[in-house]
Amino acid sequence: MWEQFLKDSVAGVPDAPEEPSARAREVTERLLNAPADEVGWRTYTPAPARRRGRGWYLVGLLAAAALLVAAFDPWDVIGSSGDGASGTPLAQESERPTGAPPVEPARLATLAEPFRGSPAARWADGAAGISVPPARATGWMSTAQVEKALRQTRDFLVASSLDPAVLRGDRPTRAIALVNPHQKDVKDYLAAAFAAAPTQENDPLLLFSRFEPSHARLVGDVVKTRGRITFREGERGALQVTTDVTYVYPVVSAAPGSDEVVRTIARREVVVNWSDPSKVVTAPGTLSLVSYKVDMTNGGCDDRAGWFAPEFGTRGPAEEGAGGETVDPYDRSTPVSGDAPGSPDQGCRTASRS
């Protein structure tokens, strides 16, 4: 037995268990002593799926919807109740629009709501509807001088087309005071325009708005406006200012007890120069008229005689005459033609709405 033991010690016993190495013992001991929930160094547990916030999807959807509305509904028709007075006021016009405003539901104007059923219900009142651009040095004028000239140009529009006294038939004294007195052709025009019987060529309505008190009177004291002023350098370094403004006047017959409200609409384009006094004879603080023209509806046809002569008793869009071209007085997407009803070139036309 002893001899067999010695022999097996030297040669080894088949299938006998081997003594684990020091490295194996170390790993075994670490695994036995490790906490049950410890993650192995070569194991992988997928991270829990991230929940994407549904709120961000909603924000993105609303933003996309807003862009679509801005692109396809510039007049803010979506969500409107149809009553122009209930819609949100329009922002000032900064450039020529691409089309006419949408047609409002047919609703008659009243003394309480003279702009009812009209796009003008969302326009600004008076001078607030005339957009004035930021000034910059142009031609012979500094930035400060341009700013003052733009402000005075708007003052001229207010004095000629919005002054309550002028609308009632008074002479537009404040407006005329802003015109260069050294312009002979304009001086002659103004003298003829306010004569007893002005001609179509000297019609004061080309520049001024006025109603004959015995024929019509304004409803309230609000005139709706929409338009803009632009400027550039003109001849001889002058500051040339172009104005394009639509005025909406609600009126009733001057007869006592009248309650039928109609609207006279005039769109004027007036171009003026603020000239360098070292190059052009002018008076300080005055503008020189370059051109002026008007498109109007329900302002009379051949019988204006220097006054707006709106028609009453139609209870609908004012027809300036049988046949002829139909025009939308609220469409500011095209230039002012100057071929107003009653002009030598165009004759009378029909308004699609008032």
Side-chain angles (χ1 to χ4, degrees), residues 119-202:
R122 298 176 56 204
W123 292 7
D125 300 351
I130 306 173
S131 174
V132 180
R136 66 178 185 277
T138 303
W140 72 282
M141 285 187 160
S142 66
T143 299
Q145 289 173 312
V146 170
E147 182 178 11
K148 181 180 179 181
L150 295 177
R151 185 173 63 252
Q152 288 181 301
T153 301
R154 188 168 69 170
D155 290 343
F156 173 79
L157 300 180
V158 171
S160 59
S161 301
L162 295 172
D163 187 323
V166 175
L167 295 178
R168 291 192 299 267
D170 287 0
R171 184 179 177 85
T173 305
R174 290 196 306 123
I176 293 175
L178 288 169
V179 177
N180 179 11
H182 300 289
Q183 277 190 284
K184 185 179 185 308
D185 56 339
V186 175
K187 188 175 181 179
D188 293 343
Y189 157 73
L190 292 173
F194 295 100
T199 64
Q200 289 183 347
E201 290 75 16
N202 295 316

Side-chain angles (χ1 to χ4, degrees), residues 40-326:
W41 67 283
R42 285 187 177 177
T43 62
Y44 168 74
T45 302
R50 293 180 61 187
R51 295 183 60 189
R52 296 184 179 272
R54 297 177 65 182
W56 288 108
Y57 284 118
L58 182 59
V59 171
L61 183 62
L62 291 175
L67 290 175
L68 288 174
V69 170
F72 296 103
D73 187 34
W75 293 98
D76 194 23
V77 176
I78 298 175
S80 173
S81 66
D83 184 354
S86 64
T88 56
L90 292 179
Q92 281 192 326
E93 182 179 283
S94 58
E95 59 185 10
R96 178 170 292 166
T98 57
V103 176
E104 300 286 332
R107 306 184 70 186
L108 291 177
T110 66
L111 293 174
E113 296 181 87
F115 300 101
R116 188 183 189 197
S118 163
R122 298 176 56 204
W123 292 7
D125 300 351
I130 306 173
S131 174
V132 180
R136 66 178 185 277
T138 303
W140 72 282
M141 285 187 160
S142 66
T143 299
Q145 289 173 312
V146 170
E147 182 178 11
K148 181 180 179 181
L150 295 177
R151 185 173 63 252
Q152 288 181 301
T153 301
R154 188 168 69 170
D155 290 343
F156 173 79
L157 300 180
V158 171
S160 59
S161 301
L162 295 172
D163 187 323
V166 175
L167 295 178
R168 291 192 299 267
D170 287 0
R171 184 179 177 85
T173 305
R174 290 196 306 123
I176 293 175
L178 288 169
V179 177
N180 179 11
H182 300 289
Q183 277 190 284
K184 185 179 185 308
D185 56 339
V186 175
K187 188 175 181 179
D188 293 343
Y189 157 73
L190 292 173
F194 295 100
T199 64
Q200 289 183 347
E201 290 75 16
N202 295 316
D203 190 346
L205 298 179
L206 293 171
L207 272 178
F208 309 99
S209 293
R210 51 206 304 262
F211 294 86
E212 189 171 17
S214 62
H215 178 74
R217 59 182 176 83
L218 286 167
V219 178
D221 56 1
V222 173
V223 175
K224 292 289 188 177
T225 62
R226 186 158 184 82
R228 64 192 182 279
I229 294 176
T230 58
F231 66 93
R232 66 180 183 88
E233 183 175 349
E235 294 181 1
R236 301 181 181 179
L239 173 70
Q240 185 166 104
V241 182
T242 299
T243 70
D244 179 353
V245 182
T246 300
Y247 307 88
V248 182
Y249 305 98
V251 294
V252 294
S253 170
S258 298
D259 62 356
E260 180 194 0
V261 179
V262 301
R263 290 182 285 261
T264 294
I265 304 170
R267 180 184 175 193
R268 288 193 182 89
E269 180 186 273
V270 181
V271 182
V272 304
N273 276 350
W274 292 88
S275 301
D276 183 348
S278 67
K279 299 177 181 179
V280 176
V281 178
T282 184
T286 64
L287 54 84
S288 298
L289 288 165
V290 177
S291 65
Y292 40 92
K293 50 189 176 181
V294 62
D295 288 339
M296 71 179 76
T297 57
N298 199 24
C301 194
D302 298 324
D303 56 347
R304 294 195 308 268
W307 308 93
F308 283 138
E311 295 182 4
F312 299 98
T314 59
R315 288 291 180 184
E319 294 189 0
E320 302 286 358
E325 180 187 5
T326 299

